[in-house]
């Protein structure tokens, strides 16, 4: 992101899978993407420092998971839908860890969050153009509608789609001899939530349109989205 590299998500997963296969044959495990070998030295020192000095202080941390809960203290947490979902996620993690393992607890929480946010990639079209063939486009303006929450699972794909639409629109205006693209408008009416990955994605898109001399416009973001973006 810092160097504006274009990353293909599919190729990224293939590369990580191949490296893990190769690593399993040589008794090693891929954990970082650092360029310098010095990173291994730093990591080894950090692990040694943690084992020697920090491990004893965490000996009683597991007790926090066994604090008794009285039914009266649980009642307020079920008073709203948001806290109810949070409570269910926490209970899923607790049950998964107690009766299975830490990995199972993380999987239960992760799957719950993905289903909560509806794991579907945003699909963007020109509003009304496909529904009404007689509608005409406004020269120099590209309007894209985002129909899903923007979070870690789809932020990278959404950035790629926006970049592809901008490239296609600029190529189309040049071939048709029309006025060049000036505005990229993102309709965020249907975006119910956004996380830090989504906000970082917008920062990358902003740098992209700035380099091309375009104006980026965000239309009608919800109050929750605006609150997080302002922070």
């Amino acid at each position: 992101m810092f160097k504006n590299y274009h990353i293909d998500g599919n190729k990224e997963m293939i590369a990580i899978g191949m490296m893990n296969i190769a690593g399993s044959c040589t008794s090693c495990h891929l954990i970082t993407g650092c360029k310098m070998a010095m990173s291994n030295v730093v990591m080894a020192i950090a692990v040694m420092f943690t084992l020697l000095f920090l491990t004893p202080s965490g000996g009683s941390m597991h007790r926090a998971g066994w604090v008794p809960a009285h039914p009266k203290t649980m009642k307020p947490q079920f008073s709203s839908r948001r806290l109810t979902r949070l409570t269910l996620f926490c209970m899923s993690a607790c049950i998964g860890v107690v009766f299975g393992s830490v990995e199972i607890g993380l999987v239960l929480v992760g799957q719950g969050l993905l289903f909560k946010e509806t794991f579907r990639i945003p699909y963007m079209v020109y509003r009304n153009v496909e529904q009404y063939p007689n509608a005409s486009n406004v020269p120099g303006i590209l309007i894209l509608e985002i129909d899903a929450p923007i979070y870690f699972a789809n932020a990278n794909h959404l950035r790629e789609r926006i970049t592809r639409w901008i490239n296609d629109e600029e190529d189309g205006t040049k071939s048709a001899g029309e006025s060049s693209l000036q505005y990229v408008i993102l309709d965020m009416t249907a975006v119910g939530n956004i996380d830090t990955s989504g906000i970082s994605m917008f920062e990358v898109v902003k740098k992209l349109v700035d380099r091309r001399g375009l104006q980026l416009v965000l239309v009608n973001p919800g109050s929750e989205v605006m609150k997080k973006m302002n922070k």
Side-chain angles (χ1 to χ4, degrees):
M1 187 181 300
F2 291 128
K3 297 187 178 181
N4 294 316
Y5 290 156
H6 179 72
I7 298 177
D8 188 328
N10 292 331
K11 292 181 179 179
E12 184 93 346
M13 295 302 297
I14 293 175
I16 293 176
M18 293 300 295
M19 285 186 283
N20 283 327
I21 293 175
S24 64
C25 298
T26 56
S27 300
C28 70
H29 181 62
L30 177 68
I31 56 173
T32 67
C34 298
K35 293 182 178 180
M36 299 176 61
M38 189 65 186
S39 63
N40 294 323
V41 177
V42 174
M43 181 179 64
I45 295 174
V47 172
M48 180 180 66
F49 178 83
T50 302
L51 293 176
L52 291 177
F53 302 105
L54 300 182
T55 303
S57 63
S60 60
M61 289 180 62
H62 66 281
R63 298 177 187 174
W66 296 99
V67 176
H70 194 275
K72 290 184 178 180
T73 63
M74 297 275 295
K75 183 179 293 185
Q77 297 193 22
F78 287 92
S79 60
S80 67
R81 294 181 180 179
R82 180 175 300 177
L83 288 178
T84 299
R85 290 195 296 264
L86 178 61
T87 304
L88 291 176
F89 291 152
C90 293
M91 290 174 62
S92 299
C94 181
I95 294 173
V97 172
V98 172
F99 295 100
S101 63
V102 175
E103 290 79 7
I104 294 177
L106 291 175
V107 169
L108 290 175
V109 174
Q111 292 298 320
L113 289 173
L114 289 178
F115 283 118
K116 170 182 172 292
E117 297 291 352
T118 63
F119 185 81
R120 63 189 181 100
I121 301 300
Y123 177 63
M124 299 173 294
V125 297
Y126 289 111
R127 174 60 71 184
N128 293 333
V129 172
E130 293 186 350
Q131 299 176 3
Y132 303 95
N134 294 329
S136 59
N137 295 334
V138 180
I141 297 179
L142 174 64
I143 304 174
L144 302 175
E145 180 185 18
I146 305 176
D147 282 337
I150 305 174
Y151 61 117
F152 69 95
N154 60 13
N156 187 59
H157 180 78
L158 180 57
R159 176 185 59 80
E160 294 176 356
R161 290 294 302 271
I162 293 174
T163 304
R164 192 184 313 162
W165 276 104
I166 294 175
N167 293 336
D168 293 344
E169 183 69 14
E170 288 186 331
D171 294 340
T173 53
K174 289 180 182 179
S175 61
E178 300 175 351
S179 59
S180 59
L181 183 63
Q182 300 176 7
Y183 294 93
V184 178
I185 301 176
L186 302 180
D187 184 359
M188 301 178 61
T189 303
V191 179
N193 198 5
I194 190 171
D195 67 357
T196 53
S197 299
I199 295 174
S200 299
M201 181 274 297
F202 276 123
E203 293 176 350
V204 175
V205 173
K206 182 65 168 61
K207 293 179 182 179
L208 169 67
V209 298
D210 287 345
R211 287 199 305 269
R212 302 191 182 193
L214 306 176
Q215 295 291 328
L216 178 66
V217 182
L218 306 181
V219 176
N220 199 28
S223 58
E224 190 70 22
V225 175
M226 289 181 62
K227 187 187 304 181
K228 292 183 178 180
M229 295 187 72
N230 286 332
K231 287 184 179 181

